[in-house]
Amino acid sequence: MLDNTPIEATDPELAAVLDDELARQRDTLTLIASENYASPAVMEAQGSVLTNKYAEGYPGKRYYAGCEQIDRIETLAIDRAKELWGAEHVNVQPHSGSQANMAAYLAVIDPGDTILSLDLTHGGHLSHGHHMNFAGQVYDVEHYEVDPDSGYIDYDALVEQAEAVDPDIVVSGFSAYPREVEWERVQEAADAADAIHLADMAHITGLVAAGVHESPVGVADIVTGSTHKSIRAGRGGIILCKEEYADAIDSAVIPGTQGGPLIHNIAGKAVGFKEALTDEFTAYAEQIVDNAAAMAETFTDHGIDLVSGGTDTHLVLADLRPSHPDTTGKDVEKALESVGIVMNANTVPGETRSAFNPSGIRVGTPGVTTRGFDTAASAELAGVICEVVDAPEDEATLAAASETVDEFCTEYPLYEDV
Ligand SMILES: Cc1ncc(COP(=O)(O)O)c(C=O)c1O
C-alpha cells in the first residue's frame, strides 16, 4: 500500500508520482468537505488480490465460479452496513455515490418522470438532475431552493412546491448544506405528491452512522451514500432501502447500471464499516461537528458571512460577497493552496458569479479531524484562513500561513507509522 517497492520495479515513473502524492497529503491539510484519509487497513484491502476477481451477481447467486471468498466479503460488508445504519436492505456494489443515485432512479422512476431536488447553486449535487448529468437529460427536473434570507430549507415551501409540481421522486441530501436535514419534513413533501423519497446522505454517511446527524433510514424509501467522505471506508457508493425496493435496487445496480462489482473496494468498505462500529468512531464524528462549529465561530467573529449563519454538520459555507466584495472563492482557493490548505471555492445561494469562479468557500472538517485536530486547532486554522482571505496576495501573510500549516502537519502527522 504505502510500500511502493513493486511499483518502483515495474514503473518507476508512476512510483515517483505516488511518492509525491503521499508527501502532498502529509504536508498539506485537506478541508475539502468530501475528502478524508482512509486507514492503512482500508487501503490494504482496496489494493489486494481481490482486484483480480469477477463476481457479477450477489452472494450465493453469481454468474461466475470461484466466488466463495467473495461472497464472504460482500456479506461482511452488507451485515456491517445493516448494523451501522439499521437498514432493511443494503447494496454495497455501487462504484460511487453518483452511481448509487443512478441506480436508485433506474429502480423506481421512468424516463420523462419528474425529479424534485435542490438546485446545484443552493447546495445540491450534479447527480440530482443537473442538465449536464444523465439525470438531467433523462428525467424532467424541477428544483427547490434554500430560503434566501435564512439559508435554511423552507420545508413548508417545499411541501407546497411538491403539491404544485407533482414529482415522481423528491431528492434530499446535499453537497453544500451546512444544516441538519429534517428528513421527516422532506417526507411530508414526498407524501404530498405521492412520490418516492430518495435521501442522498453522501456527505454525512459517517455522521449518520455515528448518530451525530438524524438518520434518513426508516424515513426515506431509498437512501444512497458515498463511503469515502465522513466515513472512511474507501472510495465507493452504497444504497440502503426498505425491503419492498430490494429487488428493484439490486437489479438496477446489476445488470441495470454496472457489471462486475469492485470487490477490492467492497472489502475496503467492510473494513471501514468495522472501524465505524467502534466508540472511537462515534467520538471522531462528534469531534468533526465540534471542529466545524469552532471554525464557523472564528469566521463569524472575523466578519465573514456564513450561509445559514453557522453549521450543524461537518461543513461551513462562507459567502465572501458582503465582507470581501472584490475577492472570489477561486482567489481564496488558490491562495490557500499555495500555503498548503486544500479546500474549494463554492457557489452560494443567490450566486452572482460563475460556477467556476464563485463567491463562496466551503470548508469541511472530516480530514483534519482524522489527523487529530481539536476545536482549538480548528479555530486557529480558521484564523489563518481569515488572514489569507483578507490579503490573498500579501507575501508576508502567505509566508506566515505556510509556516503555521507546516507546524500543524508536524503536530498532527498523517500515515507516519506505515
Ligand atoms: C450529495 C452528493 N451526492 C452524490 C455525490 C457523488 O459522490 P461520488 O463522488 O462518490 O460519486 C456527492 C459528491 O460529493 C454529493 O455531495
Side-chain angles (χ1 to χ4, degrees):
M1 183 253 335
L2 301 183
D3 170 16
N4 285 346
T5 315
I7 306 177
E8 266 157 25
T10 311
D11 187 345
E13 196 180 351
L14 187 91
V17 180
L18 279 179
D19 285 344
D20 288 348
E21 174 59 12
L22 174 59
R24 186 195 70 80
Q25 291 191 18
R26 279 181 172 149
D27 299 342
T28 62
L29 300 171
T30 187
L31 286 173
I32 291 181
S34 51
E35 286 188 2
N36 211 328
Y37 306 107
S39 72
V42 168
M43 291 191 285
E44 194 71 53
Q46 288 193 309
S48 65
V49 291
L50 297 168
T51 197
N52 298 333
K53 190 69 197 94
Y54 249 106
E56 284 179 7
Y58 290 100
K61 233 171 90 189
R62 305 280 183 188
Y63 293 89
Y64 288 88
C67 289
E68 197 183 330
Q69 274 38 275
I70 305 309
D71 281 3
R72 290 168 65 197
I73 291 164
E74 188 165 348
T75 303
L76 270 181
I78 290 170
D79 289 348
R80 288 171 184 170
K82 282 186 176 168
E83 201 178 336
L84 270 178
W85 291 289
E88 288 176 15
H89 181 75
V90 175
N91 189 308
V92 292
Q93 292 196 9
H95 301 334
S96 77
S98 298
Q99 280 180 268
N101 286 339
M102 189 180 207
Y105 298 135
L106 183 69
V108 293
I109 58 174
D110 295 316
D113 279 357
T114 303
I115 297 175
L116 177 59
S117 62
L118 187 67
D119 185 82
L120 186 71
T121 61
H122 285 243
H125 187 257
L126 289 170
S127 63
H128 297 177
H130 186 269
H131 67 96
M132 302 275 285
N133 183 267
F134 106 97
Q137 297 181 21
V138 171
Y139 307 108
D140 281 340
V141 182
E142 294 282 339
H143 288 308
Y144 56 98
E145 300 185 343
V146 298
D147 180 87
D149 298 321
S150 69
Y152 280 73
I153 290 162
D154 179 342
Y155 295 96
D156 292 332
L158 177 57
V159 172
E160 275 176 36
Q161 194 176 354
E163 280 165 350
V165 166
D166 194 24
D168 299 285
I169 191 163
V170 178
V171 181
S172 62
F174 315 109
S175 294
Y177 184 67
R179 293 300 181 175
E180 175 125 11
V181 185
E182 296 181 38
W183 311 109
E184 304 268 5
R185 305 286 330 266
V186 180
Q187 185 62 41
E188 282 173 36
D191 288 344
D194 204 14
I196 301 275
H197 178 187
L198 166 62
D200 176 355
M201 63 171 181
H203 265 251
I204 52 171
T205 313
L207 304 185
V208 170
V212 171
H213 189 296
E214 201 66 42
S215 177
V217 177
V219 179
D221 299 287
I222 300 170
V223 178
T224 53
S226 300
T227 52
H228 48 272
K229 295 181 170 124
S230 53
I231 195 164
R232 300 168 293 201
R235 196 153 288 275
I238 189 167
I239 305 177
L240 315 150
C241 65
K242 295 181 177 168
E243 196 56 49
E244 63 184 291
Y245 300 106
D247 289 346
I249 286 292
D250 286 352
S251 64
V253 173
I254 173 183
T257 52
Q258 293 186 178
L262 307 179
I263 291 297
H264 50 304
N265 283 359
I266 291 173
K269 289 171 191 176
V271 176
F273 295 165
K274 185 169 168 64
E275 290 173 354
L277 280 163
T278 58
D279 292 343
E280 207 182 337
F281 184 81
T282 304
Y284 162 71
E286 285 165 355
Q287 191 68 51
I288 290 178
V289 173
D290 289 349
N291 287 349
M295 295 191 81
E297 196 178 330
T298 306
F299 291 140
T300 302
D301 289 349
H302 195 73
I304 294 176
D305 221 53
L306 302 184
V307 173
S308 83
T311 180
D312 303 323
T313 65
H314 63 303
L315 73 84
V316 179
L317 183 61
D319 184 347
L320 300 174
R321 290 173 299 185
S323 58
H324 299 76
D326 299 325
T327 306
T328 70
K330 209 67 183 176
D331 296 335
V332 175
E333 180 187 298
K334 279 189 198 148
L336 287 174
E337 187 176 11
S338 77
V339 303
I341 298 172
V342 182
M343 44 64 72
N344 65 289
N346 215 94
T347 53
V348 289
E351 182 57 67
T352 42
R353 294 194 175 95
S354 69
F356 192 69
N357 191 13
S359 305
I361 56 172
R362 185 187 71 162
V363 300
T365 51
V368 289
T369 307
T370 294
R371 290 184 83 129
F373 272 52
D374 56 12
T375 49
S378 302
E380 192 185 338
L381 180 58
V384 173
I385 293 173
C386 290
E387 281 159 25
V388 173
V389 169
D390 286 347
E393 291 177 4
D394 180 65
E395 283 185 17
T397 302
L398 297 179
S402 181
E403 208 170 298
T404 310
V405 170
D406 288 348
E407 285 162 14
F408 272 133
C409 291
T410 307
E411 195 176 342
Y412 302 97
L414 182 69
Y415 298 136
E416 58 177 343
D417 299 326
V418 287

